[in-house]
Amino acid sequence: MPITLSDTAAERIRRFLDARGGGAGLRLAVKKTGCSGFAYVVDLEDVVGENDRIFESNGIPVIVDPKTLPMVDGTHIDFERDGLNETFTYDNPNVKSLCGCGESFGV
């Protein structure tokens, strides 16, 4: 299944890429942390690895390494503003449990 971005998330990422003069796209990864197991890691990427998968969504390449893909396959990423707070949100069909604080998830 593809990794998708909402229009709002794609626009925010496009502004980040433009501000830094470009790049290969957005890297979506996970790291082991928290009480539920994993947390999302997003970063602007300049280099695409030989085995990386690239999902194009709203004109933005989303880059995922093969180890991460089973944990994020089918994820939809949105960007929300609430007052002064801004955050990316993730609708991941693979999530089986969430941490009470919302910072980590289990698959």
Side-chain angles (χ1 to χ4, degrees):
M1 293 172 47
I3 310 295
T4 57
L5 301 170
S6 70
D7 293 340
T8 308
E11 182 56 35
R12 185 66 173 159
I13 295 161
R14 190 172 293 108
R15 278 191 257 145
F16 283 140
L17 287 168
D18 289 347
R20 71 189 296 261
L26 178 80
R27 165 112 19 218
L28 175 61
V30 296
K31 67 178 178 178
K32 201 160 184 51
T33 188
C35 54
S36 289
F38 299 96
Y40 298 103
V41 178
V42 292
D43 204 356
L44 301 178
E45 183 64 79
D46 292 322
V47 178
V48 177
E50 182 180 321
N51 295 318
D52 284 340
R53 290 281 313 269
I54 301 173
F55 300 90
E56 182 87 18
S57 182
N58 285 319
I60 302 293
V62 181
I63 305 157
V64 182
D65 69 78
K67 264 179 101 170
T68 299
L69 185 57
M71 291 182 270
V72 299
D73 198 20
T75 297
H76 179 73
I77 303 171
D78 198 2
F79 180 76
E80 298 178 355
R81 288 188 183 100
D82 183 16
L84 296 176
N85 296 319
E86 297 179 337
T87 187
F88 286 102
T89 61
Y90 307 88
D91 182 11
N92 182 345
N94 304 296
V95 170
K96 303 293 186 229
S97 62
L98 290 171
C99 176
C101 66
E103 294 297 317
S104 63
F105 66 94
V107 291

